[in-house]
Amino acid sequence: MDLEEKRKIFTVLYEAHWKKLFLHAYQMMDDQDEAKDIVQEVFSNLWESLDSLTIQQSYNAYLYRSIRNVVINKLARNKLGQTYLKFLDAPSFQSYVYNPEETLREKDFQEIINQEIEHLPPKMRNIFKKSRYENMSYKEIAADLGIAEGTVKKQIYKALLILKQKLKFIFILMYH
């Protein structure tokens, strides 16, 4: 698709959906600035992927689902950030004393995790490392490897299941 065609499609979508998407995001977030940021992020992502985007249903459904996903991600990040701040403020964290034995145990456990990651099937390992070590999104990994985004999600899900099963027993032995 050439740039002029991309601009026309984007402009039509933007003008037809911006207000509805803003109201939808505002309804979920109850914050006008957050809602504007969310809609901006969705349209920015749309612009970036418009050339390669394959819409299964309709642009309307795609955009509403995108808004929902961005809202969920923002809420999850906010919750994680709040949990982290509470953790830092907790008396147990502030009175933490350096413990060499605990540090060594954590280092050993991290080494075991790394070994288990290396034992994953090659394709799964590659996808998992790109996600966790290179902080690539599912979409970026899919584009980089030339595979479907759904395949990336499934491979990461399976990798996490495998690691969880293998590491659960080791964790219990080391920390209990």
Side-chain angles (χ1 to χ4, degrees), residues 2 22 38 51-52 54 69 73 81 99 107 126 148 160 170:
D2 69 353
F22 167 76
I38 289 167
D51 292 328
S52 60
T54 304
N69 291 341
N73 288 340
N99 182 343
K107 183 178 176 189
N126 186 26
L160 289 170
I170 295 167

Side-chain angles (χ1 to χ4, degrees), residues 29-45:
M29 297 298 290
D30 198 30
D31 182 317
Q32 285 188 3
D33 291 331
E34 282 286 334
K36 286 178 185 176
D37 289 346
I38 289 167
V39 175
Q40 178 65 31
E41 184 175 338
V42 166
F43 276 107
S44 178
N45 291 340

Side-chain angles (χ1 to χ4, degrees), residues 52-168:
S52 60
L53 190 63
T54 304
I55 301 293
Q56 301 293 335
Q57 300 166 339
S58 68
Y59 280 107
N60 191 44
Y62 172 82
L63 292 169
Y64 273 93
R65 190 171 54 251
S66 296
I67 291 289
R68 182 183 60 92
N69 291 341
V70 172
V71 167
I72 289 169
N73 288 340
K74 276 194 178 290
L75 291 173
R77 282 194 300 265
N78 288 346
K79 185 175 180 180
L80 182 62
Q82 290 170 357
T83 302
Y84 180 68
L85 290 175
K86 286 180 187 175
F87 172 74
L88 291 178
D89 287 340
S92 61
F93 181 80
Q94 293 177 355
S95 63
Y96 178 76
V97 178
Y98 174 73
N99 182 343
E101 182 180 320
E102 185 67 25
T103 303
L104 183 60
R105 197 174 356 199
E106 287 176 10
K107 183 178 176 189
D108 289 344
F109 191 61
Q110 184 60 51
E111 184 60 35
I112 292 168
I113 292 171
N114 292 337
Q115 288 172 3
E116 291 301 330
I117 290 170
E118 291 304 316
H119 287 97
L120 292 172
K123 181 179 177 182
M124 185 183 291
R125 178 177 60 234
N126 186 26
I127 291 171
F128 186 80
K129 284 182 171 183
K130 287 180 179 296
S131 170
R132 296 309 191 259
Y133 297 149
E134 298 175 31
N135 294 321
M136 293 175 72
S137 69
Y138 292 168
K139 187 181 290 186
E140 292 170 330
I141 295 169
D144 187 47
L145 299 177
I147 58 177
E149 193 174 335
T151 302
V152 173
K153 289 178 185 178
K154 286 179 187 175
Q155 289 292 309
I156 291 175
Y157 176 78
K158 287 179 182 178
L160 289 170
L161 280 179
I162 290 169
L163 292 172
K164 183 178 177 182
Q165 289 172 346
K166 288 184 176 185
L167 298 172
K168 187 188 318 182

Side-chain angles (χ1 to χ4, degrees), residues 7-21:
R7 278 190 188 132
K8 285 180 184 177
I9 292 170
F10 182 83
T11 302
V12 167
L13 291 171
Y14 186 87
E15 289 173 356
H17 296 283
W18 190 92
K19 188 172 185 176
K20 292 185 288 187
L21 294 174

